[in-house]
């Protein structure tokens, strides 16, 4: 089994920044790709950014040029800049996908990000 724990969410004003972190533990030999997903009330869960084991990344069009995903061993990060109210959502760490744009079987509990003035 794999356990994922997110941190770094909070309340920020439009135009501000946040950095999310996720640590993976357990049977991490089964992990290849990792990523961040988000879900806002009344909306489907969507891929925000993903990163494969070799470093290949993918981003949703809505966050390109603003968000950056990175990975250091089993630590996953999401640097979020120029935040907009529409970025408000619960952000989930995901692991085990076969590629940067494929979701894996492991999920964290999520961390709330609220962008509001």
């Amino acid at each position: 089994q794999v356990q994922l724990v997110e941190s770094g969410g909070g309340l920020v004003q439009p135009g501000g920044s946040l950095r999310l972190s996720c640590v993976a533990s357990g049977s991490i030999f089964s992990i290849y790709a990792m990523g961040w997903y988000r879900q806002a009330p009344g909306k489907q869960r969507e891929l925000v950014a993903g990163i494969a084991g070799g470093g290949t990344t993918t981003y949703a069009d809505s966050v390109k040029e603003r968000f950056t995903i990175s990975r250091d061993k089993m630590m996953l990060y999401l640097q979020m800049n120029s935040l907009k109210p529409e970025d408000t959502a619960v952000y989930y760490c995901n692991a085990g996908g076969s590629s940067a744009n494929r979701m894996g079987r492991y999920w964290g509990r999520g961390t709330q990000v609220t962008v509001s003035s």
Side-chain angles (χ1 to χ4, degrees), residues 37-107:
Y37 289 73
R38 68 185 181 188
Q39 187 167 26
K43 295 185 177 180
Q44 297 291 119
R45 187 172 298 189
E46 64 174 346
L47 173 67
V48 177
I51 184 167
T56 301
T57 60
T58 187
Y59 295 91
D61 288 342
S62 60
V63 307
K64 287 181 178 177
E65 308 299 329
R66 298 190 298 120
F67 291 11
T68 303
I69 189 170
S70 61
R71 184 175 179 176
D72 181 14
K73 299 179 182 179
M74 287 298 104
M75 294 291 295
L76 183 70
Y77 305 96
L78 185 68
Q79 179 65 46
M80 305 185 294
N81 299 325
S82 301
L83 283 161
K84 304 175 180 179
E86 49 263 48
D87 294 318
T88 296
V90 177
Y91 284 69
Y92 298 90
C93 182
N94 175 259
S98 59
S99 63
N101 63 349
R102 285 279 193 172
M103 72 173 67
R105 68 184 67 183
Y106 307 108
W107 294 93

